[in-house]
């Protein structure tokens, strides 16, 4: 189960304006409309996408991602926003996002990659390209430019922006905001910057403050990446049992020395159910095995509990948005 910071949901709803019921929209994803804005408060990504799609039923969302991105402020991102601001160059700022984005979201990874003419800042988000995810991706790209403009001493525009999904009915608002061509149906979700732009000194860059903040972020990362012992033990037991097919909850509970009822209750305390945990384990195991060229796709299908390779392919495409073969090819080129 993936999560995103509640800050994103609050920003989208604010950008949507009077066309939506703010209290209803925020409550639908578990946010107290009267509560404080806390970027550490995480919400399920799927519920966030659901909210975006309900907003799309109420208003024209063509330029909503751009308006949302334009409203993002570094000071609202907590310690990571401060670390972005304190980095000495824009490249160093984006490297902070690449390293610490897990503090904002568990469903997106970022990558700085050399490219012809400059460097790509790439957004990696797996899963079905439903409308909610498409709107979120566009808003994320717009946000990445917005926060870059807040540290740059001169007006900033990327060389181009790439978006994997089809274009909305008009892209004029997107191109006006980014100040460059925006190419939809591309192979990546990414922003292309010139190396000169990324090398430019930030307005408030400071090595001393930067070091202090990254030390703080490392501590935060260590806290959130440590899964509870029960979850780690359950995932290990599930992984061991998968070669015999999808395991039953009773079997895993027995391995852990728990009753089914106690196991269910303890999983619920961590906001997860057995089916979701099994899916997450299968996906993690599949992604790890695909990085090892010694395993064939048929072997990986068997090891992740599928009776047929075709069933594994369908499931993996649902999880990641691409086939196992394409995923293996892509990671070999990174």
């Amino acid at each position: 189960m993936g999560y995103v910071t509640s800050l994103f949901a609050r920003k989208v709803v604010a950008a949507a304006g009077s066309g939506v019921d703010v209290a209803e929209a925020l409550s639908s994803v578990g946010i107290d409309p009267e509560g404080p804005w806390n970027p550490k408060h995480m919400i399920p990504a799927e519920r966030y996408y659901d909210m975006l799609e309900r907003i799309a039923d109420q208003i024209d969302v063509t330029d909503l991602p751009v308006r949302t991105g334009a409203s993002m402020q570094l000071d609202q991102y907590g310690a990571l926003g401060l670390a972005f601001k304190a980095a000495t160059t824009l490249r160093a700022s984006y490297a902070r996002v690449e390293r610490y984005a897990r503090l904002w979201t568990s469903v997106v990874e970022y990558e700085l990659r050399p490219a012809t003419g400059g460097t790509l800042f790439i957004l990696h988000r797996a899963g079905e390209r439903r409308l909610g995810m498409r709107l979120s991706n566009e808003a994320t790209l717009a946000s990445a430019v917005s926060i870059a403009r807040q540290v740059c001493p001169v007006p900033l525009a990327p060389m181009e922006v790439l978006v994997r999904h089809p274009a909305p009915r008009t892209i004029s608002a997107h191109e006006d905001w980014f100040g460059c061509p925006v190419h939809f149906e591309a192979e990546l979700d990414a922003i292309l910057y010139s190396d000169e732009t990324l090398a430019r000194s930030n307005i408030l860059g400071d090595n001393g403050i930067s070091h202090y903040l990254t030390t703080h972020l490392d501590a935060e990362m260590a806290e959130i990446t440590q899964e509870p012992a029960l979850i780690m033990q359950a995932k290990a037991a599930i992984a061991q049992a998968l070669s015999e097919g999808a395991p039953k909850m009773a079997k895993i509970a027995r391995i852990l020395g728990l009753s089914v009822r106690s196991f269910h209750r303890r999983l619920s305390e961590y906001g997860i159910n057995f089916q979701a945990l099994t899916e997450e384990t299968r996906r993690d195991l599949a992604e790890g095995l695909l990085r090892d060229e010694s395993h064939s796709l048929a072997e990986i299908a068997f090891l992740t509990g599928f009776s047929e390779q075709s069933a594994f392919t369908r499931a993996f495409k649902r999880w990641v948005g691409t086939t196992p073969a394409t995923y293996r090819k892509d990671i070999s080129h990174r």
Side-chain angles (χ1 to χ4, degrees):
M1 183 183 298
Y3 293 86
V4 299
T5 172
S6 58
L7 174 65
F8 296 161
R10 286 189 178 274
K11 282 291 189 176
V12 168
V13 172
S18 59
V20 300
D21 184 324
V22 172
E24 187 280 328
L26 294 179
S27 296
S28 72
V29 293
I31 298 174
D32 178 1
E34 303 300 323
W37 288 44
N38 179 8
K40 291 185 178 181
H41 175 203
M42 308 298 279
I43 59 175
E46 292 298 324
R47 290 175 66 181
Y48 175 52
Y49 303 152
D50 289 342
M51 185 197 77
L52 290 172
E53 289 165 9
R54 286 193 295 273
I55 290 175
D57 289 335
Q58 300 171 55
I59 65 171
D60 180 358
V61 295
T62 302
D63 66 345
L64 178 62
V66 171
R67 289 188 281 117
T68 301
S71 72
M72 288 295 185
Q73 296 294 317
L74 278 169
D75 291 343
Q76 296 171 324
Y77 280 92
L80 182 49
L82 295 175
F84 188 98
K85 188 186 296 187
T88 53
T89 66
L90 184 56
R91 183 182 295 277
S93 293
Y94 276 132
R96 302 284 164 79
V97 176
E98 183 181 35
R99 180 174 178 180
Y100 298 112
R102 183 65 180 79
L103 297 171
W104 292 342
T105 173
S106 66
V107 296
V108 177
E109 293 181 356
Y110 297 91
E111 176 190 0
L112 283 167
R113 183 190 298 176
T116 303
T119 297
L120 289 165
F121 179 67
I122 305 171
L123 181 164
H124 295 289
R125 190 192 311 241
E128 177 192 355
R129 298 270 149 177
R130 53 185 288 193
L131 175 60
M133 182 187 285
R134 298 199 302 269
L135 292 171
S136 180
N137 281 356
E138 290 178 32
T140 300
L141 292 171
S143 300
V145 171
S146 178
I147 60 177
R149 287 173 175 162
Q150 292 167 46
V151 301
C152 192
V154 298
L156 176 147
M159 298 173 69
E160 61 181 10
V161 173
L162 308 174
V163 187
R164 285 179 58 186
H165 58 259
R169 60 183 180 82
T170 175
I171 64 170
S172 58
H174 294 70
E175 293 195 328
D176 286 347
W177 163 251
F178 288 111
C180 67
V182 180
H183 303 293
F184 286 82
E185 298 188 85
E187 293 184 358
L188 295 168
D189 293 303
I191 305 165
L192 178 64
Y193 284 107
S194 70
D195 290 328
E196 178 186 6
T197 295
L198 291 178
R200 189 171 288 127
S201 296
N202 289 338
I203 297 171
L204 297 175
D206 184 288
N207 276 321
I209 296 175
S210 186
H211 176 72
Y212 167 78
L213 290 169
T214 54
T215 300
H216 178 73
L217 291 171
D218 284 333
E220 286 195 34
M221 283 286 288
E223 289 180 12
I224 67 169
T225 54
Q226 290 178 354
E227 289 186 316
L230 174 70
I231 300 297
M232 291 190 291
Q233 292 165 7
K235 290 174 77 172
I238 291 169
Q240 287 284 330
L242 279 172
S243 60
E244 300 174 8
K248 300 293 185 183
M249 186 175 184
K251 177 177 181 178
I252 301 304
R254 187 169 59 252
I255 292 171
L256 298 176
L258 299 169
S259 68
V260 173
R261 186 173 181 178
S262 294
F263 186 35
H264 174 77
R265 176 179 55 78
R266 292 186 63 183
L267 288 179
S268 297
E269 291 172 356
Y270 295 117
I272 193 168
N273 59 48
F274 182 71
Q275 182 180 357
L277 187 63
T278 301
E279 283 280 286
E280 183 179 322
T281 304
R282 277 178 142 174
R283 174 178 168 172
D284 291 347
L285 182 59
E287 290 182 357
L289 291 170
L290 284 167
R291 290 183 171 88
D292 184 350
E293 296 284 349
S294 67
H295 292 288
S296 69
L297 297 183
E299 288 173 331
I300 295 173
F302 169 75
L303 291 169
T304 50
F306 293 92
S307 58
E308 297 179 354
Q309 185 177 328
S310 59
F312 168 59
T313 299
R314 288 193 298 272
F316 193 84
K317 192 169 184 180
R318 184 179 74 250
W319 297 331
V320 179
T322 189
T323 66
T326 301
Y327 179 87
R328 170 171 273 177
K329 181 179 178 182
D330 288 346
I331 60 176
S332 69
H333 292 157
R334 289 185 190 177

